[in-house]
């Protein structure tokens, strides 16, 4: 969880097992744990890590987060592309 003006808490990681290069949409729960309202320009992105937690994709597709007041939470549909090569 992040702290400060812009903070976020994510819900459970969604189950996904796309094929290499395949794009799918997963639903993620996000909560504004910061002290200011989220407005335009706040997005949800993702990272793919290998079995040693080394990044193989950093900052994948960005999906717009809804406007949220501090303490509010919402579901966000996030486009995710599996890395190439697998």
């Amino acid at each position: 969880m992040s702290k400060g003006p812009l903070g976020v808490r994510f819900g459970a990681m969604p189950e996904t097992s796309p094929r290499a290069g395949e794009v799918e949409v997963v639903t993620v729960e996000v909560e504004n744990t910061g002290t200011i309202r989220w407005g335009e320009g706040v997005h949800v992105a993702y990272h793919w890590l290998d079995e040693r937690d080394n990044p193989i994709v950093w900052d994948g597709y960005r999906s717009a987060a809804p406007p949220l007041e501090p303490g509010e939470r919402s579901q966000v549909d996030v486009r995710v592309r599996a890395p190439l090569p697998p």
Side-chain angles (χ1 to χ4, degrees):
M1 172 174 51
S2 307
K3 297 191 180 212
L6 289 174
V8 64
R9 177 181 298 135
F10 293 96
M13 290 199 17
E15 294 290 326
T16 184
S17 55
R19 292 187 170 133
E22 185 176 272
V23 176
E24 67 179 62
V25 176
V26 297
T27 302
V28 177
E29 183 175 277
V30 295
E31 178 182 354
N32 180 351
T33 61
T35 58
I36 62 173
R37 180 182 187 277
W38 292 358
E40 287 186 40
V42 176
H43 293 82
V44 176
Y46 58 90
H47 311 308
W48 283 98
L49 307 176
D50 68 14
E51 57 280 342
R52 294 186 181 129
D53 288 338
N54 296 309
I56 53 176
V57 172
W58 194 258
D59 224 7
Y61 290 141
R62 294 170 181 246
S63 301
L68 292 175
E69 297 294 334
E72 288 185 329
R73 65 179 72 170
S74 183
Q75 304 274 327
V76 179
D77 289 332
V78 178
R79 287 180 55 228
V80 176
R81 182 173 187 241
L84 281 169

